Amino acid sequence: MPLSEHEQRMLEQMERALYAEDPKFATALEGSGLRTYTRRRVYQAIAGFLVGIALLMTGMVAKQIWIGVVGFLVMLGCAVLAVTGWRKAPKPGEQQPSGEATADRRQQSRQRRSFMNRIEQRWQRRRDEQGQ
């Protein structure tokens, strides 16, 4: 559930106060965010992919097709996780400050609303034209 504008403003104020009071602590918290999580997720997916290869080879050696199929599915799932995690991982220079990010979100929501308003107006006009 997204935050209301009032809650977003309060959160931004708290962030600014934290940066003003203890910038060292704030930068330490900043580094342990999404980038670390996605990096860990990619490493786990690579490890899972290797386990999938081992299962695939075990299935081939033991002549158990179902083990090979399970290994292939594990490899496929881990490859998808690794690729999506790699794409979502923000680059160190690309992280936006929270003020710009919220401004972008507001602009996108306005664009969506205006798009929906235009569609609703068109729909209403068509209904009015067909009714007359």
Side-chain angles (χ1 to χ4, degrees):
M1 186 165 120
L3 298 175
S4 69
E5 287 185 31
H6 175 69
E7 292 170 333
Q8 287 176 354
R9 276 185 263 134
M10 289 183 64
L11 183 61
E12 288 172 7
Q13 282 180 335
M14 290 189 305
E15 287 176 358
R16 283 192 295 258
L18 177 64
Y19 281 114
E21 289 177 17
D22 195 358
K24 188 185 244 184
F25 178 67
T27 53
L29 287 178
E30 199 174 75
S32 65
L34 182 63
R35 196 167 75 215
T36 305
Y37 170 74
T38 53
R39 187 181 308 138
R40 188 177 333 131
R41 182 176 167 192
V42 168
Y43 291 149
Q44 288 172 348
I46 291 171
F49 188 84
L50 295 175
V51 168
I53 289 175
L55 282 172
L56 183 66
M57 293 298 153
T58 302
M60 291 175 63
V61 170
K63 295 184 181 175
Q64 297 290 325
I65 295 175
W66 66 273
I67 295 174
V69 170
V70 169
F72 176 75
L73 292 176
V74 168
M75 288 171 51
L76 183 65
C78 289
V80 168
L81 282 176
V83 169
T84 57
W86 192 261
R87 285 184 185 167
K88 290 180 183 177
K91 308 294 185 277
E94 291 181 357
Q95 288 183 337
Q96 294 179 338
S98 61
E100 289 180 22
T102 55
D104 288 343
R105 276 190 244 125
R106 286 182 193 146
Q107 184 179 5
Q108 288 174 352
S109 67
R110 284 185 198 133
Q111 288 173 350
R112 279 190 217 121
R113 275 189 257 143
S114 65
F115 174 74
M116 290 304 292
N117 288 340
R118 286 195 315 259
I119 295 224
E120 287 174 7
Q121 289 171 355
R122 288 178 187 170
W123 178 257
Q124 191 64 35
R125 270 187 279 154
R126 287 181 187 156
R127 287 185 60 198
D128 291 342
E129 289 172 1
Q130 289 176 356
Q132 292 179 354

